[in-house]
C-alpha cells in the first residue's frame, strides 16, 4: 500500500484569493474541473458507537474511513473509497460503483456485495457486518484543484503534487437520498476554507513557497467530523 504526504491548513477568504493567484502561476487546474472548480458529494460511513468519528477526534494514529463519492452531480461515475491514515501519511483505495449499487448500499441492501469482483466492496461488506458500519452523513463542498507538473516550471522534477482549496462545506442526514441532486444539505456553521497539499516523495520548493502563509499551521481538520455537529 502506497502512502502520500498530506498537509491541511485552515484558511480564510483573503488567504483563498492570495493562494488562487499564486497557484495559477505555478500549477495547472485539474482537467476535470469546470471553470476551475467542481462540486463533491460524499456519503460517509460510521457505526452506532461513532467509531470513525471518535478515532479522528482522539487522534488515533492508524485509522480508516469509507465513503461513496461523485462529482458535479454526475451519478454515472461513482466510487467507493477507503481513506487510510498513518500519522501524517495517507492512502486512498477506490472501486467503481454503479448508481444502482450505490443506492442499494444506502438502502441497506447488501446481499450482492460478497459476490462483487471488487475487493474493496467485499471489504466494506465485511465491516458493515462485523463493525456495524452504516451510511451516516452526507458531505458536500466545492473544490478548486491544482496539479503541479514539469511543464509548469523548468528543471524541477515533479513529486506528484496536488493542491486543493475546499470551501462551501454543507451537510445532510438523509443518506438514502444521497444520489438525489435535490437532496437538501445545509451550510456547516463556522466551517473554514481548507487548503490541502498532497505529494509523494517530496514537495517542490516552488509549491512550498506558493502555499506558505504567515500564521497558518498544519491541522487535522476533518470535513466528516465538522459535519457531525449536526448529529
Amino acid at each position: 500500500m502506497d502512502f502520500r504526504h498530506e498537509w491541511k491548513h485552515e484558511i480564510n477568504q483573503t488567504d483563498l484569493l492570495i493562494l488562487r493567484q499564486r497557484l495559477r502561476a505555478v500549477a495547472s487546474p485539474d482537467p476535470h474541473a469546470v471553470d476551475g472548480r467542481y462540486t463533491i458529494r460524499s456519503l460517509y460511513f460510521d457505526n452506532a458507537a461513532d467509531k470513525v468519528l471518535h478515532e479522528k477526534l482522539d487522534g488515533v494514529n492508524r485509522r480508516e474511513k469509507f465513503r461513496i463519492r461523485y462529482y458535479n452531480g454526475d451519478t454515472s461515475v461513482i466510487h467507493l473509497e477507503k481513506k487510510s491514515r498513518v500519522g501524517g501519511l495517507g492512502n486512498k483505495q477506490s472501486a467503481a460503483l454503479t448508481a444502482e449499487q450505490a443506492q442499494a448500499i444506502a438502502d441497506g441492501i447488501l446481499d450482492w456485495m460478497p459476490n462483487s469482483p471488487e475487493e474493496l466492496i467485499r471489504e466494506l461488506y465485511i465491516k458493515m457486518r462485523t463493525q456495524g458500519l452504516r451510511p451516516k452523513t452526507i458531505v458536500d463542498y466545492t473544490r478548486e484543484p491544482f496539479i503541479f507538473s514539469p511543464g509548469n516550471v523548468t528543471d524541477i522534477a515533479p513529486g506528484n503534487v496536488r493542491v486543493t482549496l475546499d470551501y462551501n462545506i454543507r451537510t445532510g442526514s438523509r443518506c438514502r437520498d444521497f444520489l438525489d441532486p435535490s437532496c437538501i444539505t445545509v451550510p456547516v456553521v463556522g466551517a473554514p476554507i481548507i487548503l490541502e497539499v498532497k505529494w509523494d516523495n517530496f514537495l517542490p520548493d516552488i509549491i512550498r513557497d506558493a502555499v506558505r502563509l504567515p500564521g497558518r499551521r498544519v491541522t487535522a481538520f476533518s470535513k466528516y467530523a465538522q459535519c457531525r455537529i449536526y448529529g
Side-chain angles (χ1 to χ4, degrees):
M1 184 182 296
D2 295 327
F3 283 82
R4 303 184 72 194
H5 299 270
E6 296 184 3
W7 281 351
K8 293 183 181 180
H9 301 264
E10 297 183 22
I11 63 174
N12 57 36
Q13 186 67 36
T14 300
D15 297 332
L16 172 65
L17 297 176
I18 293 171
L19 289 170
R20 183 184 284 151
Q21 294 304 313
R22 289 180 184 176
L23 291 168
R24 285 175 177 172
V26 299
S28 301
D30 186 317
H32 297 100
V34 179
D35 294 328
R37 60 180 61 88
Y38 47 70
T39 59
I40 297 175
R41 170 165 286 184
S42 300
L43 178 63
Y44 283 88
F45 291 73
D46 212 331
N47 64 14
D50 289 329
K51 173 181 180 291
V52 176
L53 177 62
H54 288 301
E55 287 182 349
K56 172 62 181 178
L57 296 178
D58 294 341
V60 174
N61 187 57
R62 289 179 175 269
R63 59 185 186 270
E64 66 183 26
K65 59 188 175 186
F66 285 86
R67 67 193 180 202
I68 300 175
R69 171 169 287 189
Y70 64 98
Y71 297 82
N72 294 330
D74 181 6
T75 58
S76 67
V77 180
I78 306 173
H79 286 95
L80 169 66
E81 298 178 348
K82 182 177 82 166
K83 287 292 296 291
S84 302
R85 194 163 185 89
V86 179
L89 301 176
N91 169 270
K92 183 172 72 174
Q93 297 171 265
S94 179
L97 289 173
T98 65
E100 291 75 18
Q101 289 171 333
Q103 188 62 56
I105 294 173
D107 291 337
I109 301 171
L110 313 179
D111 55 341
W112 60 276
M113 295 175 70
N115 300 315
S116 172
E118 294 285 355
E119 181 179 353
L120 191 60
I121 293 176
R122 299 196 304 271
E123 180 182 349
L124 175 61
Y125 172 79
I126 291 171
K127 290 179 177 175
M128 292 181 79
R129 291 302 193 194
T130 61
Q131 297 180 9
L133 291 183
R134 291 293 183 271
K136 194 75 171 187
T137 301
I138 297 171
V139 177
D140 289 344
Y141 59 96
T142 301
R143 166 165 285 179
E144 293 186 29
F146 296 88
I147 299 172
F148 178 79
S149 66
N152 299 126
V153 180
T154 60
D155 300 326
I156 299 178
N160 190 17
V161 178
R162 183 177 178 84
V163 181
T164 58
L165 303 168
D166 298 341
Y167 50 88
N168 191 27
I169 302 172
R170 304 173 64 87
T171 187
S173 59
R174 297 179 62 85
C175 297
R176 295 182 64 178
D177 296 336
F178 169 67
L179 298 181
D180 182 354
S182 65
C183 174
I184 296 175
T185 57
V186 297
V188 176
V189 177
I193 300 167
I194 301 298
L195 162 68
E196 292 192 14
V197 186
K198 300 179 182 180
W199 73 97
D200 288 345
N201 297 321
F202 71 95
L203 182 63
D205 288 342
I206 194 165
I207 296 297
R208 189 184 300 270
D209 291 341
V211 301
R212 182 177 289 124
L213 293 167
R216 300 291 181 258
R217 297 182 178 180
V218 175
T219 180
F221 182 88
S222 165
K223 299 181 186 73
Y224 169 65
Q226 186 78 13
C227 287
R228 286 298 309 279
I229 65 174
Y230 289 90

